Amino acid sequence: MARPRSAGYDEQREQILAAAAALFALRGYTATTMNGVAAACGVSKPTLYHYVRDKHDLLAQIARGHVQRLEALVSEVDAAGLAPEARLRELISRFMAAYAGARNEHRVLTEDVRFLEPAARSEVLDGQRRVVDAFASTIGGLRPDLEADALAKPLAMLVFGMMNWTFTWWRSDGAVDSSALAAMVQQLLTGGLPAVQAARGSAGAALRRNAAVDAGVPDVGRRTVPER
Amino acid sequence: MARPRSAGYDEQREQILAAAAALFALRGYTATTMNGVAAACGVSKPTLYHYVRDKHDLLAQIARGHVQRLEALVSEVDAAGLAPEARLRELISRFMAAYAGARNEHRVLTEDVRFLEPAARSEVLDGQRRVVDAFASTIGGLRPDLEADALAKPLAMLVFGMMNWTFTWWRSDGAVDSSALAAMVQQLLTGGLPAVQAARGSAGAALRRNAAVDAGVPDVGRRTVPER
DNA sequence: CCTACCGATCGGTAGG
DNA sequence: CCTACCGATCGGTAGG
């Protein structure tokens, strides 16, 4: 019968992942050394290698853990059964809070995914895609015409841009707190979404444009910038 | 008298910077080798070192060149003397086009600035700050109350988030072209800006809140999320 | 302009 | 025999 793991195994593992995420976030994956990770954790390198197979596995554990937490967040919001607008607000609010509480892991996820080995990278990218799809389908619930034009996903990516970029410059000790930023993103999106127009050039827009022309309806979809 | 530079010096230098930017964007600064840069350019390593002092100088030339082009863009828009809303649309449209045409340099600027040596890093960050300020002051022209609350700059950073993040996922051969994305950013911002509320907690908001209370005016500034 | 090569430091693992 | 480590050092490769 196998000997059970030490009582502090999971705590030690979590501490190693957190310290490595801090170094990866600061210097990037490649410039971070396993010696540096071990030193930051106060353990020897052989001990570090007791918790991770190699450097790629260390990165994979950090990235997988973070994306799994994000997917769990989506599941929690799903379970609440909210209407699209409330659901979108809840997603933004929870994601901004999650990012603020896991800045290092978040930066690693967004910048160092390219260094993952193919299997781990696919796993992480699949998780990210499911998360993006949750945002895109909620936006599509508010604007089915944009979803028909395949614009719900690009729009979701703009929202992720606002959220992701925030944590490259935002400081927790600064003048603006993360919930105020979440509110700004929500307000900008909720207020701006009605102003977003179906783009010309997409398959859905072209079909509906032709239909509109056939029916003698003015073709407002051709304007990409609203006139005032 | 010093020997003049070869006729093709500047062209060769530009080619080297472009090839290096492509490698930095793909693998990151640290994981890119000077041997790899030389091979990608089809020149020997000593030739490469004729154009750059060292690896840090190569990165500095790429980052400085890109941020200088962005500053030139701001100057051009300034010269047009547009009203705030038109100016903001023009800035967004030109920046998205510039990013689309210099994706590698843009990714290097946003991800590898941390590897610059202090003097070059300061220079680049100063340029980026001036560019952000141009967006923030234009937003402040549209919403002086947000600027008074020091929220124009965070809002400008949300706009940069949308623009910067776009070029981590957008493909020029995909279904959505970059001008359509620029239009979406413009519409989201122009449509959403009126919905953004002054945040509680900032110095300006606190001052005006007190003034409002003193005058017996309802304090709408305390709500960070609009009720519906 | 190239081959050859340096001081150093990397990720990962040996024996005990 | 197992695990959980340590001090020391391996083979390869980086920037220059």
Side-chain angles (χ1 to χ4, degrees):
Chain A
M1 183 171 160
R3 180 176 168 174
R5 277 172 175 163
S6 135
Y9 184 91
D10 288 331
E11 289 81 353
Q12 177 77 292
R13 178 178 164 277
E14 290 301 324
Q15 187 234 324
I16 286 170
L17 295 185
L23 288 176
F24 287 162
L26 185 65
R27 305 183 206 178
Y29 173 76
T30 311
T32 300
T33 71
M34 292 300 267
N35 280 317
V37 173
C41 299
V43 301
S44 71
K45 202 151 51 153
T47 303
L48 171 59
Y49 276 89
H50 183 250
Y51 291 89
V52 298
R53 181 170 32 83
D54 54 25
K55 199 184 179 188
H56 282 105
D57 179 50
L58 176 54
L59 176 61
Q61 289 195 42
I62 293 167
R64 262 197 306 252
H66 187 60
V67 81
Q68 281 169 3
R69 283 189 292 272
L70 297 182
E71 290 197 68
L73 232 56
V74 170
S75 296
E76 284 177 34
V77 174
D78 278 350
L82 302 168
E85 190 171 320
R87 181 181 143 98
L88 195 53
R89 280 209 302 265
E90 190 68 14
L91 283 171
I92 291 170
S93 161
R94 291 204 187 215
F95 267 67
M96 292 287 275
Y99 289 172
R103 291 187 58 181
N104 293 327
E105 289 76 3
H106 185 56
R107 183 161 187 189
V108 171
L109 184 65
T110 57
E111 291 195 352
D112 293 331
V113 149
R114 58 184 154 180
F115 300 115
L116 288 170
E117 288 170 323
R121 185 165 61 237
S122 296
E123 193 181 339
V124 167
L125 292 179
D126 284 351
Q128 286 185 304
R129 191 179 37 70
R130 284 189 289 269
V131 166
V132 169
D133 285 346
F135 277 74
S137 69
T138 308
I139 289 170
L142 292 168
R143 288 288 306 270
D145 58 327
L146 292 180
E147 189 155 51
D149 277 358
L151 290 181
K153 201 157 179 174
L155 205 41
M157 293 308 286
L158 295 185
V159 176
F160 274 98
M162 291 194 274
M163 298 194 298
N164 287 336
W165 194 249
T166 294
F167 297 96
T168 67
W169 59 270
W170 177 79
R171 302 288 161 241
S172 57
D173 55 0
V176 186
D177 68 22
S178 67
S179 65
L181 280 167
M184 284 180 62
V185 173
Q186 289 168 6
Q187 291 159 11
L188 211 52
L189 183 61
T190 307
L193 199 51
V196 175
Q197 300 183 5
R200 63 181 171 191
S202 71
L207 286 171
R208 287 185 298 96
R209 195 152 59 232
N210 291 339
V213 169
D214 289 344
V217 175
D219 179 14
V220 295
R222 294 194 89 83
R223 288 206 318 272
T224 53
V225 180
E227 268 104 45
R228 290 239 153 193
Chain B
M1 183 171 159
R3 178 177 166 175
R5 278 171 173 162
S6 137
Y9 182 92
D10 287 330
E11 290 81 352
Q12 178 76 290
R13 178 178 164 276
E14 289 303 324
Q15 187 233 322
I16 286 170
L17 295 186
L23 288 176
F24 288 162
L26 186 65
R27 305 183 207 178
Y29 173 77
T30 311
T32 299
T33 72
M34 292 300 265
N35 280 318
V37 174
C41 298
V43 302
S44 71
K45 205 154 43 158
T47 301
L48 172 58
Y49 276 90
H50 183 248
Y51 291 89
V52 297
R53 181 171 32 85
D54 54 24
K55 198 185 181 188
H56 282 106
D57 180 49
L58 177 55
L59 176 62
Q61 290 195 41
I62 295 168
R64 261 196 307 251
H66 188 59
V67 80
Q68 281 168 4
R69 283 190 292 272
L70 297 181
E71 289 197 68
L73 232 57
V74 170
S75 297
E76 283 177 35
V77 174
D78 279 349
L82 302 168
E85 189 171 321
R87 181 181 143 96
L88 194 53
R89 281 208 300 264
E90 191 67 15
L91 283 171
I92 290 169
S93 162
R94 291 203 188 216
F95 268 66
M96 293 287 276
Y99 289 172
R103 292 187 58 182
N104 293 327
E105 289 77 3
H106 185 57
R107 184 162 187 189
V108 171
L109 184 65
T110 56
E111 291 195 351
D112 293 331
V113 150
R114 59 184 153 179
F115 300 115
L116 289 170
E117 288 170 321
R121 185 165 60 236
S122 296
E123 196 181 335
V124 167
L125 292 179
D126 285 351
Q128 286 185 304
R129 190 179 38 70
R130 285 188 290 268
V131 165
V132 170
D133 285 345
F135 277 74
S137 69
T138 308
I139 290 171
L142 291 168
R143 287 289 305 270
D145 58 326
L146 292 179
E147 189 156 51
D149 277 358
L151 290 181
K153 200 156 179 174
L155 206 40
M157 294 308 287
L158 294 185
V159 175
F160 274 98
M162 290 195 273
M163 298 195 300
N164 288 335
W165 192 248
T166 294
F167 297 96
T168 66
W169 60 268
W170 177 80
R171 301 289 161 238
S172 57
D173 56 0
V176 186
D177 68 22
S178 67
S179 65
L181 279 167
M184 283 179 63
V185 172
Q186 289 168 7
Q187 291 159 10
L188 211 50
L189 183 60
T190 307
L193 199 51
V196 175
Q197 299 184 6
R200 63 179 169 192
S202 69
L207 286 170
R208 289 185 297 96
R209 196 153 57 233
N210 290 340
V213 169
D214 290 343
V217 176
D219 178 14
V220 294
R222 296 194 86 86
R223 288 206 318 270
T224 54
V225 179
E227 269 106 44
R228 292 242 155 193

